[in-house]
């Protein structure tokens, strides 16, 4: 179980880091063109950058506290925050008729819920 939780947290951290770096450092106009318009076309630059920073922080919060042994309770807290972020992402993609992303966000939500459940319940640090 512990290994499965580490794999799930690592996968989520990789996804969060990739998404965060993209949203933080790629210009909004380029993101909007790459997504065929999508939600980034209507969002402000500040909002997109803020989401990027939050995703980078999520990547850090899913791995580093447990690896360093400093406040490992932050891992399930971060996973719960990721669940909330994915709910917001699904609502945003639903409003923009981007159904393929909703399925992906649901998968990430399930992984984060698994990490939160596992680290709060059967396999705490």
């Amino acid at each position: 179980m512990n290994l499965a939780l580490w794999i799930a947290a690592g996968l989520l951290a990789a996804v969060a880091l990739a998404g965060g770096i993209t949203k933080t450092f790629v210009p909004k106009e380029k993101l909007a063109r790459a997504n065929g318009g999508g939600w980034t076309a209507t969002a402000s630059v500040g909002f997109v950058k803020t989401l990027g920073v939050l995703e980078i922080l999520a990547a850090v919060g899913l791995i580093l506290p447990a690896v360093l042994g400093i406040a490992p309770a932050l891992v399930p807290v971060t996973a719960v925050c990721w669940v909330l972020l994915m709910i917001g992402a699904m609502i945003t993609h639903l409003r923009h008729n981007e159904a393929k992303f909703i399925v992906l966000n649901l998968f990430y939500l399930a992984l984060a819920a698994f990490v939160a459940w596992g680290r709060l319940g059967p396999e705490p640090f």
Side-chain angles (χ1 to χ4, degrees), residues 86-107:
M86 289 301 101
I87 291 170
M90 288 189 295
I91 291 168
T92 300
H93 290 303
L94 181 66
R95 288 180 179 169
H96 288 89
N97 297 318
E98 299 171 335
K100 61 184 175 185
F101 293 117
I102 295 172
V103 174
L104 190 60
N105 292 140
L106 190 58
F107 174 72

Side-chain angles (χ1 to χ4, degrees), residues 23-43:
K23 288 179 186 77
T24 304
F25 298 109
V26 174
K28 185 190 120 160
E29 296 75 25
K30 190 172 181 181
L31 282 174
R33 281 193 310 267
N35 292 333
W39 69 270
T40 52
T42 59

Side-chain angles (χ1 to χ4, degrees), residues 73-86:
L74 288 176
V75 173
V77 171
T78 303
V80 169
C81 291
W82 188 261
V83 167
L84 297 174
L85 186 67
M86 289 301 101

